[in-house]
């Protein structure tokens, strides 16, 4: 993509052993990482591969959560071109 893009990303973080198995536990605190740094990391990784520069990202929706039990940590994302 060479024009403005919209990025949606959902990060699945490694689940700590102390996380409750039966009730909802949100990834908060210093151990889960800053959301803006996850966005920066993904933008840098996409530069030169999917978009020509991460400054092309003009809209972003980013979330983070613990990976479900039995599911690998990672990220799922979509990049959509914004047409004029």
């Amino acid at each position: 993509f060479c024009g403005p893009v919209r990025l949606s990303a959902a990060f699945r973080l490694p689940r700590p052993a102390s996380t409750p198995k039966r009730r909802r536990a949100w990834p908060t605190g210093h151990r889960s990482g800053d959301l803006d740094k996850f966005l920066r990391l993904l933008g840098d990784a996409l530069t030169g591969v999917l978009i020509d520069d991460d400054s092309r990202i003009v809209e972003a929706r980013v979330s983070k959560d613990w990976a479900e039990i039995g599911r690998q940590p990672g990220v799922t994302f979509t990049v959509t071109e914004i047409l004029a």
Side-chain angles (χ1 to χ4, degrees):
F1 296 103
C2 295
V5 296
R6 176 180 302 115
L7 174 67
S8 293
F11 289 89
R12 293 179 312 277
L13 307 176
R15 180 180 288 272
S18 63
T19 304
K21 306 292 187 248
R22 294 196 174 131
R23 66 179 170 84
R24 186 76 179 106
W26 294 99
T28 59
H30 68 281
R31 303 189 92 203
S32 67
D34 294 339
L35 202 54
D36 61 327
K37 291 186 180 167
F38 286 116
L39 177 59
R40 190 178 333 151
L41 175 117
L42 184 56
D44 290 344
L46 295 175
T47 297
V49 178
L50 199 56
I51 54 179
D52 63 348
D53 189 68
D54 60 355
S55 66
R56 300 293 184 184
I57 301 170
V58 297
E59 186 178 321
R61 180 180 175 161
V62 185
S63 65
K64 65 178 179 176
D65 200 354
W66 299 125
E68 295 175 21
I69 296 172
R71 189 166 183 202
Q72 291 292 326
V75 62
T76 303
F77 67 92
T78 58
V79 177
T80 309
E81 185 175 26
I82 298 176
L83 301 173

